[in-house]
């Protein structure tokens, strides 16, 4: 069973915004919406670090927990997706998300919010795979084509890794062993932390409901 | 000579036209009663949206989940440049 995850290597990210551009181009994202952003800490100071941030497809996704209309679902691979036809654009998910991933297009005057848009791990949404409807609402479905998220595949320095959690963790471990530093994985503790009792499956998940 | 039959035909079709119009009006008014319920009943804690098909249901995997995972894992290895360049 694969468990899809993102991993951003702060030692390698050069703030080129290639991931942001690739994502916007691949999914034809409208102006004002950024599914992925590059955040720089201590900008201009020696030792500054940049990280590429998007939806991390959390193990226990807070957006799923707070959604009043339950429009979120999780695929077998752990990709958190949502049904835009159900979304009411309330913004609760935005407040709940520790990564600021949910985006809301401004669809009218006075800051009227549209339906939430976020990273889909290039997995589309609840429309026919590869259909124009799916592309219009969620963007391209690369996973159904056997491809990985475009942001990770396009990353020039391979700072951003995407794919099965075990595989990318192995790649990162290999890298850390070679360079001998920078073992900290940004965001993983927040997104993929183990439950308090790791041996026991969460009750909600065992019942087949959302966690 | 040609006016007479026309008038006669109009007079004859008049009730028919009125009946058709009345039928159309009635259908239009009744259409409002046939509206689908617009209030969705949400069940707390469960996904309420449309079902989605798994990514591996498409060609060339056609439902072969194991092979799809294997292919994606192999593709993910391309992100490891130590392996790509043989370092």
């Amino acid at each position: 069973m694969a468990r899809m995850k993102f991993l951003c290597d702060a030692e390698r990210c050069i703030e080129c915004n290639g991931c942001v551009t690739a994502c916007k181009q691949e999914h034809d994202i409208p102006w004002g919406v950024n599914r992925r952003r590059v955040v720089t800490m201590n900008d201009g100071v020696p030792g500054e670090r940049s990280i590429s941030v998007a939806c991390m497809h959390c193990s226990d996704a807070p957006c799923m927990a707070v959604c009043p209309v339950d429009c979120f679902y999780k695929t077998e691979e752990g990709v958190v997706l949502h049904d835009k036809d159900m979304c009411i654009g309330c913004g609760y998910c935005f407040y709940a998300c520790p990564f600021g991933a949910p985006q809301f297009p401004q669809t009218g005057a006075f800051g009227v919010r549209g339906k939430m848009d976020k990273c889909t791990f290039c997995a589309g949404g609840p429309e026919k795979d590869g259909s124009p409807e799916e592309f219009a609402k969620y963007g391209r479905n690369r996973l159904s084509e056997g491809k990985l998220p475009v942001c990770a595949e396009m990353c020039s320095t391979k700072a951003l890794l995407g794919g099965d959690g075990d595989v990318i963790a192995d790649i990162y471990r290999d890298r850390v062993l070679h360079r001998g530093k920078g073992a900290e994985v940004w965001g993983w503790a927040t997104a993929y932390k183990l439950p308090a009792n790791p041996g026991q499956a969460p009750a909600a998940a065992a019942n087949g409901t959302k966690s | 000579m040609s006016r007479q039959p026309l008038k006669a035909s109009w007079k004859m079709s008049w009730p028919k036209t009125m009946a058709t119009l009345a039928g159309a009006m009635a259908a239009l008014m009744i259409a409002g009663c046939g509206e689908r319920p617009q209030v969705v009943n949400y069940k707390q804690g469960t996904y309420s949206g449309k079902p989605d098909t798994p990514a591996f249901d498409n060609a060339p995997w056609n439902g072969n989940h194991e092979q799809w995972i294997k292919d994606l894992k192999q593709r993910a290895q391309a992100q490891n440049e130590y392996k790509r360049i043989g370092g």
Side-chain angles (χ1 to χ4, degrees):
Chain A
M1 177 61 71
R3 172 68 178 87
M4 298 301 173
K5 291 177 183 177
F6 279 123
L7 191 156
C8 187
D9 186 349
E11 294 285 328
R12 284 199 177 200
C13 183
I14 56 169
E15 201 191 351
C16 71
N17 277 282
C19 49
V20 178
T21 312
C23 175
K24 284 192 82 97
Q25 193 275 331
E26 185 81 347
H27 303 299
D28 202 10
I29 308 291
W31 181 257
V33 174
N34 283 306
R35 289 184 178 183
R36 180 166 285 285
R37 290 156 292 133
V38 176
V39 177
T40 304
M41 289 154 289
N42 300 323
D43 202 357
V45 178
E48 68 169 40
R49 289 284 182 275
S50 296
I51 39 167
S52 179
V53 189
C55 172
M56 293 287 278
H57 303 275
C58 302
S59 303
D60 186 11
C63 53
M64 291 178 80
V66 299
C67 180
V69 294
D70 292 315
C71 71
F72 288 92
Y73 65 103
K74 196 180 273 190
T75 68
E76 280 182 71
E77 291 73 43
V79 179
V80 178
L81 299 172
H82 72 297
D83 185 348
K84 280 195 178 178
D85 292 342
M86 301 292 287
C87 178
I88 55 172
C90 66
Y92 284 14
C93 51
F94 177 77
Y95 294 114
C97 179
F99 303 102
Q103 301 280 299
F104 294 89
Q106 302 283 314
T107 52
F110 311 114
V112 173
R113 271 195 299 237
K115 289 172 187 292
M116 190 273 279
D117 190 88
K118 74 170 190 72
C119 161
T120 62
F121 207 86
C122 288
E127 294 286 350
K128 190 179 182 306
D129 289 347
S131 65
E133 292 78 26
E134 186 183 49
F135 182 79
K137 286 181 195 170
Y138 309 102
R140 193 166 154 202
N141 190 339
R142 288 171 60 89
L143 283 195
S144 70
E145 300 166 8
K147 297 170 184 169
L148 291 166
V150 70
C151 50
E153 293 207 310
M154 288 286 287
C155 182
S156 54
T157 60
K158 289 285 165 271
L160 184 64
L161 303 171
D164 179 48
D166 294 339
V167 176
I168 60 169
D170 282 346
I171 295 171
Y172 191 68
R173 196 175 301 116
D174 199 19
R175 189 181 287 179
V176 171
L177 284 172
H178 272 82
R179 71 184 176 206
K181 62 168 186 169
E184 302 81 23
V185 186
W186 182 87
W188 268 40
T190 308
Y192 313 126
K193 68 183 169 195
L194 292 170
N197 195 351
Q200 190 184 352
N207 292 337
T209 55
K210 73 181 185 180
S211 52
Chain B
M1 186 180 139
S2 62
R3 274 186 179 178
Q4 277 303 88
L6 257 180
K7 258 190 178 173
S9 78
W10 170 247
K11 268 183 186 171
M12 275 170 69
S13 66
W14 172 249
K16 221 176 184 177
T17 314
M18 284 303 288
T20 313
L21 269 174
M25 285 289 284
L28 204 69
M29 284 189 286
I30 289 168
C33 305
E35 198 175 2
R36 283 188 303 163
Q38 293 186 4
V39 179
V40 182
N41 290 316
Y42 299 112
K43 201 176 162 195
Q44 189 60 37
T46 51
Y47 172 56
S48 307
K50 279 182 285 189
D52 193 11
T53 50
F56 50 85
D57 265 6
N58 303 283
W61 301 280
N62 299 319
N64 189 344
H65 195 186
E66 294 301 315
Q67 188 58 44
W68 179 74
I69 289 174
K70 209 173 154 188
D71 290 350
L72 275 187
K73 281 185 177 180
Q74 195 182 348
R75 191 172 173 107
Q77 287 296 346
Q79 297 174 102
N80 188 355
E81 64 279 273
Y82 290 115
K83 285 195 176 160
R84 276 164 56 197
I85 60 173

